[in-house]
Amino acid sequence: YVCSTWGNNHFKTFDGDVYQFKGTCEYNFVSDCRESYKEFSVHIQRGLNSNKHPEIQYILITTKDFTVYLKPKMAVVDGRMVKMPYYNSGVLIERNDIYTKVHVKFGLTLIWNQEDALMVELDSRFNNHTCGLCGDYNGIPIYNEFIDGGDYNSITFGNLQKINKPNTNCEDPDESQALPSCNMHRHECEMLLTSPAFADCRFRLNLEMYIQACMQDKCACNGHEDSFCLCSTISEYSRQCSHAGGRPTEWRSQNFC
């Protein structure tokens, strides 16, 4: 029931597919896409921070009753800046030093670390009714997202989710430039993700998926070691483990992440 994005442009759909998409336009992250009646939409826009790492610049949640616009230290509801915690017409917005959390009573919970990582949990009544970067939520990995009517790669799929805004000129990532595959760093990523701190996580999550994402991060960083390269996927693994009922123990240290 969870869709997420984190770190170096990684996405995990509701159905469990993991892919990378580097677009910096505004995109439909997840929307109710029934023909006759749309209950909500969540749009996101990414950009590069001062360290040249991707992070989410804003999130826009729209329902039939209200709009919520989130930036790292700010929430705007129906055009008015609000203090948090905020509760009105079935929406609760809370913020602490680490997360901004939005809960909407019809069954949507959104958790953002105010930087690179966003997680959306959606009630199962939206099964098979969603579209966007999170996929169609029909329980079948790969099929509808990437094969429907022709083989999509992740860049084609991501570009299809762009929100066209009349006064904004935003370049699509080049669909012919597939992201380079990465076969290095497996040993290091495996050791980190199977460390004793994550003993309670191994059987709750698809470990291989996070090993692959960690390998891609290490390759993309090209030897420029910084905490973003290594820590964003491990942080996501830890968050998803907790969300799945696991209890990761303290894995950060003075010298690591």
Side-chain angles (χ1 to χ4, degrees), residues 27-218:
Y27 298 95
N28 174 16
F29 188 63
V30 55
S31 298
D32 177 6
C33 289
R34 288 172 285 191
E35 294 288 306
S36 52
Y37 177 73
K38 293 179 174 39
E39 203 155 332
F40 72 92
S41 68
V42 178
H43 295 175
I44 64 170
Q45 176 150 7
R46 259 205 177 84
L48 296 178
N49 65 14
S50 55
N51 298 321
K52 297 281 185 277
H53 293 314
E55 68 178 25
I56 296 166
Q57 295 182 324
Y58 67 79
I59 299 168
L60 179 64
I61 306 164
T62 307
T63 75
K64 62 184 194 316
D65 296 321
F66 58 82
T67 61
V68 176
Y69 177 75
L70 298 175
K71 291 194 83 157
K73 300 272 184 284
M74 183 175 94
V76 176
V77 178
D78 292 335
R80 285 190 9 257
M81 204 182 295
V82 297
K83 279 193 174 145
M84 291 172 270
Y86 169 88
Y87 182 76
N88 196 8
S89 32
V91 63
L92 170 66
I93 309 171
E94 301 172 285
R95 186 167 77 84
N96 61 24
D97 291 342
I98 309 169
Y99 293 109
T100 298
K101 184 172 182 178
V102 180
H103 180 72
V104 189
K105 69 177 178 193
F106 60 66
L108 179 145
T109 302
L110 178 148
I111 302 170
W112 178 30
N113 73 347
Q114 300 159 26
E115 293 173 6
D116 64 299
L118 170 66
M119 181 155 65
V120 169
E121 185 175 13
L122 201 54
D123 191 275
S124 60
R125 72 191 179 87
F126 292 103
N127 281 146
N128 220 8
H129 290 323
T130 66
C131 60
L133 293 165
C134 288
D136 59 11
Y137 197 17
N138 69 350
I140 309 169
I142 293 177
Y143 183 71
N144 291 74
E145 282 76 30
F146 298 108
I147 303 174
D148 194 14
D151 254 344
Y152 291 166
N153 67 25
S154 63
I155 303 172
T156 314
F157 174 70
N159 286 341
L160 285 169
Q161 317 309 324
K162 182 163 103 174
I163 305 300
N164 289 309
K165 298 164 84 180
N167 305 326
T168 312
N169 190 10
C170 181
E171 288 294 308
D172 288 338
D174 183 348
E175 293 173 16
S176 65
Q177 299 294 309
L179 291 164
S181 62
C182 174
N183 305 313
M184 294 152 61
H185 310 291
R186 169 173 277 280
H187 180 64
E188 182 183 0
C189 288
E190 216 162 62
M191 277 182 50
L192 290 166
L193 289 162
T194 56
S195 75
F198 296 122
D200 198 24
C201 304
R202 276 191 81 161
F203 302 105
R204 298 174 189 274
L205 300 172
N206 176 343
L207 176 63
E208 178 62 24
M209 194 165 91
Y210 295 97
I211 291 172
Q212 290 291 335
C214 168
M215 287 163 64
Q216 287 169 335
D217 292 348
K218 290 282 292 176

